[in-house]
Amino acid sequence: MNLKELSKNLGLSQTTVSRALNGYPEVSDATRRRVEAAAKAFNYSPSNRAKGLATGRALAIGHVIPISTRHEMVNPVFGDFIAGAGETYSREGYEMVLAVVADADEQKVYDNMWRRRAVDGVVLHAPRMNDVRIPYLQKIGMPFAVHGRASGCKTPYTWLDVNNRRAFERATDFLIDLGHRRIALVNGLEYMDFADRRRAGYASALMAKDIPVDPTLMASGEMTEVFGYESMRSMLGAADPPTAVLCSSLVSALGARRAIEERGLKMGRDVSVVTHDDVLSYLQNGGETPIFTATRSSVREAGRRLAQMLLGRIAAPEGPHQQELLEAELVVGDSTGPAPRKD
């Protein structure tokens, strides 16, 4: 039975029935009890659309993915984040709206979503440096929360991020303490805020120990297995190759390991590898003993928490913005060891 049929059986308007089921005070106790009894008798559960009639909300959250980053849809990091956020939405009675759009149309899609009240807010993914989407969403008044941060955006907004700079500074220090001096960085796209912060942490740790920052030991690109492989293969073929490497994702670290083994070298003995591990459901970093030494943070938990922060923003749009910086844990696995001695 749907809302229209239930309303007809009761001889009441759909709005009155919906408001009765959602506890609105203007509905009398007698009417509320009558509606609740009928809903129970007919095994009626209000849909989000019916609830929306009563609350004036869509009870939906938007996730907009530009075509240029459509790989996000199959990226295990994105999948785990969405799974975590979905748990929060489901518990709070919200649905999720996913849209893959042309880059040039992204702002138009946000505008249409908000104007049609198709969603109550959006999660902003993969923030860039000076991200223009943030001031645009503020301009149109749409509630939003950012997975990450955007350097250069001065106005306050709600965000949740990992302390990427500190994580890679700590990982670099760990390798330096093992005696490594030729330390490479296989990073993400450095117009992305997280990758810029990771490079800054890596460079800061090197400079603090008077180790030159060598551009030939730094690669930036989309974090695929092939990119990790090709970057590591190129660096290992140089006259003064690295003895250690930091990778910005577990996927690119797998490619780096392939390049190491292809040259007849052993990871952890000849070349040490540290990666960032998002604690993924379907791409796990070994069992009790991790395969890779890693800076670790749960992206699924980040999805849960950021979704809750956004729902809080929707409920209290004039309240203070929430901002949370998560610290990554450094876990030691089999992929790192002392720097090899030179003959």
Side-chain angles (χ1 to χ4, degrees), residues 204-285:
S204 174
L206 292 175
M207 290 187 291
K209 299 294 175 65
D210 295 322
I211 301 172
V213 179
D214 186 346
T216 67
L217 293 181
M218 300 167 68
S220 169
E222 196 169 321
M223 297 182 296
T224 63
E225 193 274 348
V226 171
F227 172 68
Y229 166 74
E230 291 179 345
S231 299
M232 193 78 259
R233 183 181 64 174
S234 175
M235 293 178 188
L236 290 174
D240 191 8
T243 62
V245 60
L246 292 174
C247 295
S248 262
S249 83
L250 195 57
V251 176
S252 54
L254 292 172
R257 180 175 69 175
R258 178 160 67 100
I260 292 166
E261 293 174 348
E262 183 179 81
R263 292 186 69 87
L265 303 173
K266 181 175 175 57
M267 183 175 73
R269 184 193 66 195
D270 302 306
V271 182
S272 289
V273 179
V274 179
T275 188
H276 183 73
D277 177 14
D278 288 292
V279 194
L280 304 173
S281 300
Y282 298 102
L283 184 61
Q284 297 188 4
N285 184 13

Side-chain angles (χ1 to χ4, degrees), residues 289-301:
T289 301
I291 298 168
F292 292 97
T293 296
T295 56
R296 177 174 286 179
S297 179
S298 171
V299 71
R300 194 182 190 106
E301 179 60 21

Side-chain angles (χ1 to χ4, degrees), residues 2-84:
N2 58 33
L3 178 64
K4 182 178 181 180
E5 292 166 338
L6 181 62
S7 302
K8 184 176 180 181
N9 269 277
L10 288 165
L12 298 171
S13 71
Q14 293 182 50
T15 300
T16 298
V17 171
S18 183
R19 287 178 176 272
L21 291 171
N22 284 280
Y24 276 67
E26 61 266 30
V27 179
S28 69
D29 288 341
T31 300
R32 189 185 330 280
R33 287 193 295 271
R34 181 178 163 222
V35 170
E36 288 174 349
K40 185 176 181 180
F42 290 109
N43 196 29
Y44 171 75
S45 178
S47 66
N48 274 17
R49 184 176 180 184
K51 291 177 184 177
L53 288 173
T55 63
R57 290 182 178 166
L59 297 177
I61 301 298
H63 293 257
V64 179
I65 311 300
I67 285 175
S68 65
T69 57
R70 62 185 179 275
H71 62 276
E72 290 282 358
M73 298 294 287
V74 294
N75 187 320
V77 174
F78 179 79
D80 264 40
F81 179 88
I82 286 293

Side-chain angles (χ1 to χ4, degrees), residues 150-191:
S151 300
C153 291
K154 303 302 182 184
T155 55
Y157 56 92
T158 295
W159 56 261
L160 180 144
D161 197 11
V162 174
N163 193 342
N164 287 291
R165 179 182 177 120
R166 177 61 189 139
F168 271 52
E169 187 175 50
R170 187 179 177 192
T172 307
D173 282 336
F174 173 76
L175 291 170
I176 293 171
D177 288 344
L178 287 173
H180 295 278
R181 295 298 180 268
R182 296 288 290 169
I183 302 171
L185 174 67
V186 176
N187 203 5
L189 294 161
E190 290 183 355
Y191 59 78

Side-chain angles (χ1 to χ4, degrees), residues 133-142 144 155-158 321:
R133 296 173 298 176
I134 290 173
Y136 183 77
L137 290 171
Q138 291 171 328
K139 177 183 175 183
I140 66 176
M142 176 185 275
F144 68 95
T155 55
Y157 56 92
T158 295
H321 289 278

